[in-house]
Amino acid sequence: MLVEKNVPLQALNTFHIVARAHGLVRVRNEADVLEVLADPQWAQEPKFVLGGGSNLVLTGDVKPLVLKVQVQGRSVVGETAKAWIVEAGAGEDWHDFVAWTLAQGLPGLENLALIPGTVGASPVQNIGAYGVELQDRFDALDAIDLTTGKLFTLDAAQCAFGYRDSIFKHGGTAPLLGLKDRALILRVRFSLPKVWKPVLGYADLDKKQAQAGCGHPTAQQIFDWVCEIRRAKLPDPAVIGNAGSFFKNPTVTAEQCADIIARDPKLVHYRLDDGSYKLAAGWLIDACGWRGKAVGQAGVYEKQALVLVNLGMGALGATGGEVMTLAGAIQTSVYERFGLRLETEPVVL
Ligand code: EPU
């Protein structure tokens, strides 16, 4: 087993924050994990599972042993009456996987095109965009318990998916056992419908459809539109470091929503099935005047206030401390103006 020491992490997190891992092991299969767990020096050490580093803020060097997931492979592994079951290794790049499914004639993931990160990270925060969430296409996953070395499989119900949430984001002890810092996802299986229907109805997508004058778009067209929308609105992490949306869109009661609208009639809000309302955090931050503002080299993206960006690169770039100071200042001003506490999305280490 090779434990790389003092490894630069700048290229392994999409914020491109400069930090180092004290120790890093590349995981290509379950045997690599079992070797770590059998090693007298590393078995008991705290561990941190790293996928594409696209939802991560590093505030210093990483002391836990980093397990960099590089499990590869993509294939159709089965079918049900209604769906094809497609499996991918946790280390596969998410967007490449989505493009591959379409090339195989297996639509269903096109609304989730261009989301940075790996397949293994997709269920952790139940990624979602343009009307589709991962849980809508999820079948099951295989993971390994880092405390016992046991392999296990979870279906959708066992993953306890919520909005940008799953069992992998919660700690805890039995009987309410969360899997935060406890599980390493090896493979994910997706259920892609044999009879495909486009998911439209999201304002940006509808605009694209109207522009194209296209009554019955194909999955490839939706994929292309989603890529165009994201490229126009969101910074490419290869060029400008960022971790996607930095805050979750808050949910409020109908009364709270009405109260805010009474003061700010332009509030962007969406009614949910249970009668509560989801508010656009980007709009709330924008309304507080944060778009384009910065703390040191950490900035609020000019075209989407929900995204914090690294204005520099390398040693001249943002520190994790600057990013978190900026995030804290945004939370304070949104709280002062709207009485809402914005919840952060990325993992802070
Ligand atoms: N808005 C503003 N000012 C801003 C930003 C947004 O007024 O600076 C307004 C927009 O005009 C729009 C509304 O807020 O009316 C919502 O904006 P947008 O459609 O860009 O979506 P979002 O709610 O900000 C969410 C997800 C994104 C996902 C998009 C599309 C979360 C936290 N974010 O963003 O996910 O791509 O919807 O489905 O739910 C991510 O999680 O990293 C991510 C990018």
Side-chain angles (χ1 to χ4, degrees):
M1 179 183 78
L2 176 65
V3 179
E4 298 168 44
K5 299 279 175 64
N6 212 20
V7 182
L9 294 174
Q10 193 188 330
L12 299 183
N13 75 95
T14 60
F15 242 119
H16 306 306
I17 289 171
V18 175
R20 286 175 181 269
H22 288 197
L24 181 145
V25 173
R26 293 176 195 275
V27 170
R28 294 178 185 89
N29 48 47
E30 41 262 69
D32 287 342
V33 183
L34 293 176
E35 242 187 281
V36 173
L37 299 183
D39 186 286
Q41 188 189 347
W42 298 105
Q44 300 308 321
E45 289 294 316
K47 297 169 192 75
F48 177 73
V49 179
L50 178 62
S54 62
N55 198 40
L56 180 63
V57 182
L58 296 171
T59 58
D61 288 345
V62 180
K63 293 189 190 81
L65 179 66
V66 174
L67 302 176
K68 171 74 182 119
V69 183
Q70 296 185 334
V71 182
Q72 301 294 301
R74 323 182 271 216
S75 55
V76 180
V77 292
E79 65 179 294
T80 65
K82 289 189 171 164
W84 299 106
I85 307 298
V86 180
E87 182 177 277
E92 292 284 347
D93 176 77
W94 173 261
H95 177 73
D96 290 350
F97 171 62
V98 174
W100 177 84
T101 56
L102 289 185
Q104 307 305 303
L106 301 167
L109 297 175
E110 55 283 346
N111 295 52
L112 303 176
L114 220 57
I115 295 181
T118 54
V119 166
S122 65
V124 175
Q125 62 156 358
N126 186 22
I127 56 172
Y130 307 104
V132 176
E133 277 186 322
L134 179 104
Q135 65 176 333
D136 305 327
R137 302 284 182 261
F138 180 87
D139 173 55
L141 60 80
D142 300 331
I144 192 160
D145 186 321
L146 294 174
T147 58
T148 62
K150 283 209 180 106
L151 208 65
F152 62 96
T153 296
L154 297 184
D155 63 20
Q158 290 166 317
C159 287
F161 290 123
Y163 167 57
R164 294 296 191 275
D165 198 24
S166 73
I167 194 168
F168 300 101
K169 291 187 97 171
H170 297 270
T173 46
L176 292 167
L177 208 56
L179 290 172
K180 187 174 190 289
D181 300 328
R182 228 189 114 162
L184 183 145
I185 297 169
L186 291 160
R187 289 173 290 274
V188 185
R189 286 180 289 286
F190 300 87
S191 175
L192 303 182
K194 285 181 175 171
V195 179
W196 173 81
K197 276 198 239 103
V199 178
L200 298 162
Y202 198 96
D204 283 342
L205 266 184
D206 288 352
K207 229 182 278 168
K208 286 276 175 199
Q209 191 185 7
Q211 279 164 9
C214 172
H216 301 282
T218 64
Q220 185 63 45
Q221 273 170 317
I222 294 177
F223 175 93
D224 292 341
W225 293 338
V226 168
C227 290
E228 285 168 24
I229 295 165
R230 292 189 72 101
R231 286 198 177 105
K233 257 194 187 179
L234 298 167
D236 175 356
V239 183
I240 302 173
N242 74 90
S245 299
F246 204 90
F247 302 95
K248 293 183 188 180
N249 285 330
T251 304
V252 297
T253 62
E255 292 75 32
Q256 279 175 300
C257 190
D259 193 42
I260 299 174
I261 290 171
R263 285 176 284 131
D264 289 278
K266 288 190 183 147
L267 175 76
V268 178
H269 58 289
Y270 315 92
R271 191 174 188 279
L272 302 178
D273 291 342
D274 63 3
S276 62
Y277 283 82
K278 183 164 276 193
L279 309 184
W283 184 90
L284 297 170
I285 298 167
D286 196 2
C288 291
W290 279 102
R291 200 137 46 105
K293 296 271 167 58
V295 166
Q297 292 301 308
V300 179
Y301 191 51
E302 283 170 349
K303 297 183 204 164
Q304 208 330 348
L306 196 50
V307 179
L308 304 191
V309 293
N310 187 345
L311 297 170
M313 264 291 171
L316 298 176
T319 63
E322 284 174 339
V323 173
M324 295 315 294
T325 303
L326 176 59
I330 290 170
Q331 282 171 320
T332 302
S333 67
V334 169
Y335 184 75
E336 281 171 358
R337 171 149 175 197
F338 297 105
L340 296 169
R341 176 97 188 136
L342 289 183
E343 231 183 284
T344 55
E345 226 199 74
V347 173
V348 181
L349 204 61

